[in-house]
Amino acid sequence: MSEEISRVRTGLPQNLTERFAHRAAMMKPSEIRSLFAVASRPDIVSLAGGMPNLSAFPMEMMATVIEKLVRENGQEALQYGSGQGHPKLRAQICDVMALEGISAHPDDVIVTTGSQQALDLISRIFIDPGDVVLAEAPSYVGALGTFSQYEAQVVHVAMDNDGLIPQALREAISTTRASGRKIKFLYLIPNYQNPAGVLLSPERRTEILEICNKEKIFVVEDNPYGLLGFDRPSPDAMRAEDSENVIYLGSFSKTIAPGFRVGWALVPQALKEKLVIALESSVLCPSNFTQLAISSYLSDQPWRDQIASFTQLYKVRRDAMLESLEKYFPKGATWTKPGGGFYVWATLPEGIDTKALMPKAIVGKVAYVPGTAFYADGFGTREMRLSYCYPTPERIRDGIKSLGHVLETELKVRELN
Ligand code: PMP
């Protein structure tokens, strides 16, 4: 519909923005979204998106599961359901979490439309404009977007190859409080972090929990990648150690498929009712259909084996990326070496601006996400996220080779100037 016709039909002026609520100003497209159009061109090797690779997904088997579900239990599957989520699935979710050391009761689980919705609801419940959320530096772009829509200020806390640094957390808490601001929670992704790919060490998990307990700061543990370890299981979840002060978020997006949009939150009792009320006002209830599809899959199919085939597929791609980085990236560049998940985080020599370099990378037929997307404060100019989850190993090699060439050329030009 043209804008002209739209105006005639609705009677609204062309520029609506002045009528928006104040918070609409915070609703900005993420850098990743604006990249998608270019990155999804077939001639570009996209190391940008974090899409799970469904090439190893048993489609026929899932078609059978879904057909059976509709034929035999369509009355329930296609009906509204409980705001908290289907009881059978909530019990199965407890079995899944037990793999990471969590002992939980299905009553404390709330099924959400992806864990992204849980992030939104938690933000809605906790954040007043100007409140502080502590997050790793760098952190998940989708969470940063949500926090900013609720007008939180994100204070980043430094991390290294063992994850968030406890001493940096202590310092961030004291400087934030000294400036009179309220800290609402610490958001972190302990396993194969998005975007950095690192794993938080077991010792640090304990220390961070102790700090947050003492300082009365909730920990939001976002764990979509925990079961995707390549060579060994990841350490126990932080929630396994602390059931009072940790809000745990899980998801089937990476262990089954994201199209179902099924995730969950495991929360302390005091928070449960508020979360269910918030969820009901957002979607009434999570989809019964997709919850029951997942539930049948979990009860009838070898889902653990399926996760093992996914991790095998990702491991081959991780190896292809790490080998190519060694071979083609310029001297002075460093990168993380993930033991699971989807992402490598690269830091480039001084003078490289990964955002400014993007058009040249596109000419070289490769895309990545510039580091600044993963910070709320403009940091990350010489950093980039490289995802190995989706392209084939050959394409990953081609992409890194081309990117290495773009970087070498850029560095030479800088030397000459
Ligand atoms: N948290 C993290 C760290 C993620 O990487 C993602 C998806 N990329 C999500 C949450 C959201 O996942 P979903 O809504 O599909 O469960």
Side-chain angles (χ1 to χ4, degrees), residues 114-116 140 187 189 194 222 224-225 251 253-254 261 343:
S115 53
Q116 189 67 34
Y140 166 49
Y187 168 74
I189 307 151
N194 181 1
D222 188 9
Y225 304 99
S251 173
S253 288
K254 278 85 189 182
R261 310 302 305 126
Y343 312 105

Side-chain angles (χ1 to χ4, degrees), residues 6-7 10-21 24:
S6 144
R7 273 182 69 190
T10 61
L12 292 173
Q14 218 163 346
N15 186 354
L16 277 176
T17 51
E18 69 231 31
R19 298 187 181 192
F20 286 165

Side-chain angles (χ1 to χ4, degrees), residues 328-360:
Y328 299 116
F329 257 37
K331 231 174 73 208
T334 57
W335 51 88
T336 56
K337 304 194 171 56
F342 288 6
Y343 312 105
V344 167
W345 183 250
T347 305
L348 298 155
E350 213 52 76
I352 295 276
D353 177 339
T354 53
K355 197 167 178 183
L357 199 70
M358 200 51 194
K360 291 181 188 162

